Amino acid sequence: MDRKAEIVIVGGGPAGLAAAAAAYKRGIDAEKIWIIERDKELGGILNQCIHNGFGLHTFKEELTGPEYAARYISQVKEIGISCLLQTIVVDIQADADGKKRVVAMNRKDGLFEIETEAVILAMGCRERPRGALNIPGYRPAGIYSAGTAQHYVNIEGRMPGKEVVILGSGDIGLIMARRMTLEGAKVKLVAELMPYSGGLKRNIVQCLDDFGIPLKLSHTVIDIDGKERVKGVTVAQVDENRKPIPGTEEYISCDTLLLSCGLIPENELSTGMGVTLNPVTSGPVVNESLETNIPGVFACGNVLHVHDLVDYVSEEAENAGCHAADYVRRMEKGEGGKAAKEAKEAGKEAGKGKEEGGMAIPVKCAGGVRYTVPSLVRPSCMQEEQIIRFRVGNVYKNAVLTVQFDDTVVMKINKRVMAPGEMEQIKLKKSKLEEFPGLGEITVVVEESRL
């Protein structure tokens, strides 16, 4: 069974839904927008996030995860956008003429192709498993990722255990510390390998401090006791090289170990089709239009880089949907080949300071900045304001955030506190960029005394 579309969106979570609605508002017919979702319903991970705190930026009110998702699901259904549920995308191919072929399969239709002009990658992210953490010990029952435990408790109504230790202080782990406590479990400890928490400050306060749950920084699990079921874990302090310090070992009895040790963008499909990935984020390298190195392939949400707030996911996805719609219109006008050629040339010329024909200026990071999104900016394709999002690599106090155009400092902002768990952003003005013809690179720098 072969189908045709103008935009295919891979993923029906908050990013995919927002991108679809934005593409429609930009002028794409509803029946030519397809959302492909592997789950049995739309909404993605929000369906199991029953806590509040969502929507403060987007809807100016506090919502739970399912309520936030429902706002976008209702939009998509009212518009009449086609959604293929319980459908897996197995391959995406880009032809020389700019057409893309999305190969998917489900129980009803078997294996089929969708021919499309543009693709928006919105597959989200996954949790880092135990195998990536190199924790010694047996493989007993009672070890879960925090997201899996959240699914059991909030969706299936099952409790993973009664005495819990959590490794990692990511937001999901912090939220599950509170959730398990509210359901009657005893959360004995949250251990964090780094000297700072990986979660939002508000989650540390509301999920740990308010319930008297201890957080031990610079600590990790070095052994798991138990063969059939977890009986306990050994926790030790680590040095500046993240190596356990002898003599600091502490045994904690428990029947459950939850792992909240980071999220990884789901980019197997991206890699398979030749999308260039950023080694820091493990997400695609994109320009100001959220377009990858493959013309007509866009990325947004947690598949691009892991966000702290879903409101920022929706904002980013709406931009991706608009830019994808603009790309489709250019293709219809016969400008697709020209756009593809310019995109390739922009990639080759990045860093040479050439602006003509949409040449890209690389956005680099220095000091405490780990990465930026986007990584490339074409002034000729920018809106009047361009948001650059980034994360720092440590906790900084009284930081100075500067933006440099080549060697010229054009922006300087004093920041009282910056932390890896909080995503930061700056806004570049197109008019300012136009004052620097022949600009070679943009650099975002954070400098200060670290904790």
Side-chain angles (χ1 to χ4, degrees):
M1 180 178 62
D2 295 330
R3 308 180 184 188
K4 289 189 177 182
E6 290 188 346
I7 298 177
V8 170
I9 301 168
V10 186
L17 293 168
Y24 170 78
K25 294 173 184 176
R26 198 73 161 193
I28 304 297
D29 294 338
E31 64 271 15
K32 295 181 180 179
I33 303 171
W34 289 79
I35 296 175
I36 303 179
E37 168 57 45
R38 64 184 178 185
D39 207 349
K40 60 183 178 181
E41 57 188 19
L42 298 170
I45 198 67
L46 290 181
N47 292 324
Q48 68 183 50
C49 298
I50 65 173
H51 53 280
N52 58 6
F54 301 92
L56 291 171
H57 295 271
T58 305
F59 299 109
K60 309 305 179 185
E61 59 180 305
E62 195 171 31
L63 305 171
T64 65
E67 288 172 336
Y68 186 96
R71 298 285 179 96
Y72 278 101
I73 292 171
S74 62
Q75 283 187 43
V76 166
K77 289 183 176 179
E78 288 173 9
I79 292 169
I81 292 171
S82 301
C83 301
L84 292 175
L85 301 178
Q86 294 183 288
T87 302
I88 303 293
V89 175
V90 296
D91 191 26
I92 305 174
Q93 300 174 1
D95 297 335
D97 59 357
K99 298 286 187 181
K100 285 85 185 171
R101 288 181 290 119
V102 179
V103 182
M105 64 182 300
N106 58 33
R107 292 180 179 179
K108 177 183 176 182
D109 303 317
L111 189 69
F112 60 93
E113 282 189 4
I114 303 176
E115 184 182 286
T116 184
E117 306 284 354
V119 173
I120 300 177
L121 305 173
M123 295 89 74
C125 58
R126 66 177 185 271
E127 294 178 280
R128 184 171 281 110
R130 178 190 172 181
L133 303 177
N134 297 322
I135 304 173
Y138 293 97
R139 295 179 176 270
I143 304 175
Y144 305 91
S145 68
T148 300
Q150 186 181 57
H151 178 86
Y152 283 151
V153 176
N154 294 344
I155 302 295
E156 299 186 15
R158 295 193 289 161
M159 280 292 286
K162 297 180 180 179
E163 293 185 317
V164 184
V165 170
I166 299 177
L167 175 61
S169 60
D171 287 314
I172 302 176
L174 298 175
I175 289 166
M176 281 310 296
R178 176 179 62 184
R179 189 76 179 100
M180 296 289 282
T181 301
L182 292 173
E183 290 297 328
K186 173 64 175 176
V187 180
K188 294 190 168 183
L189 172 72
V190 176
E192 170 58 55
L193 177 68
M194 304 301 290
Y196 51 80
S197 172
L200 293 169
K201 179 65 176 178
R202 74 181 189 192
N203 284 333
I204 297 172
V205 174
Q206 296 174 0
C207 300
L208 299 187
D209 296 349
D210 289 355
F211 293 90
I213 300 171
L215 170 63
K216 288 194 174 184
L217 302 176
S218 298
H219 280 71
T220 191
V221 173
I222 62 171
D223 191 33
I224 299 173
D225 181 27
K227 290 187 178 180
E228 299 300 323
R229 175 83 192 194
V230 173
K231 294 181 180 179
V233 298
T234 302
V235 177
Q237 187 176 352
V238 298
D239 58 22
E240 62 275 9
N241 297 316
R242 304 177 196 172
K243 301 296 182 182
I245 300 174
T248 64
E249 298 87 354
E250 179 185 2
Y251 181 85
I252 301 173
S253 61
C254 63
D255 61 13
T256 304
L257 174 64
L258 301 188
L259 305 176
S260 179
C261 302
L263 300 170
I264 306 169
E266 288 273 17
N267 268 304
E268 285 73 20
L269 280 173
S270 310
T271 304
M273 69 181 305
V275 170
T276 301
L277 300 186
N278 185 317
V280 177
T281 63
S282 297
V285 173
V286 295
N287 60 25
E288 77 296 324
S289 301
L290 300 176
E291 188 176 24
T292 69
N293 60 298
I294 300 178
V297 177
F298 301 81
C300 58
N302 283 352
V303 79
L304 179 56
H305 62 131
V306 177
H307 293 62
D308 50 0
L309 297 178
V310 71
D311 303 79
Y312 294 151
V313 168
S314 300
E315 179 184 337
E316 187 177 85
E318 288 170 1
N319 287 332
C322 291
H323 289 303
D326 293 342
Y327 175 86
V328 170
R329 292 293 171 251
R330 292 200 304 271
M331 290 287 286
E332 289 178 348
K333 294 177 181 178
E335 298 176 7
K338 179 182 177 183
K341 182 179 179 181
E342 287 181 353
K344 289 181 180 178
E345 290 301 319
K348 292 178 183 177
E349 298 294 336
K352 294 185 180 180
K354 293 187 178 181
E355 188 177 325
E356 301 80 20
M359 294 305 173
I361 302 169
V363 182
K364 298 187 176 181
C365 49
V369 180
R370 296 186 64 233
Y371 70 87
T372 65
V373 172
S375 301
L376 300 166
V377 171
R378 295 171 297 174
S380 59
C381 302
M382 278 178 58
Q383 303 295 322
E384 290 307 312
E385 276 193 341
Q386 174 67 49
I387 294 177
I388 305 292
R389 292 197 166 99
F390 65 93
R391 286 186 190 267
V392 294
N394 211 318
V395 178
Y396 290 84
K397 273 192 160 186
N398 302 317
V400 179
L401 169 63
T402 60
V403 178
Q404 300 175 5
F405 287 1
D406 289 332
D407 296 327
T408 304
V409 175
V410 296
M411 188 184 303
K412 182 175 287 189
I413 305 170
N414 293 322
K415 305 284 288 187
R416 189 173 66 85
V417 177
M418 303 179 80
E422 308 270 351
M423 194 164 65
E424 304 285 344
Q425 68 177 39
I426 57 171
K427 293 182 179 180
L428 294 181
K429 293 188 178 295
K430 184 173 183 177
S431 58
K432 191 67 176 178
L433 279 169
E434 291 172 345
E435 295 177 10
F436 290 80
L439 179 61
E441 63 183 34
I442 301 166
T443 308
V444 183
V445 187
V446 167
E447 296 176 340
E448 64 84 66
S449 58
R450 296 185 299 176
L451 285 181

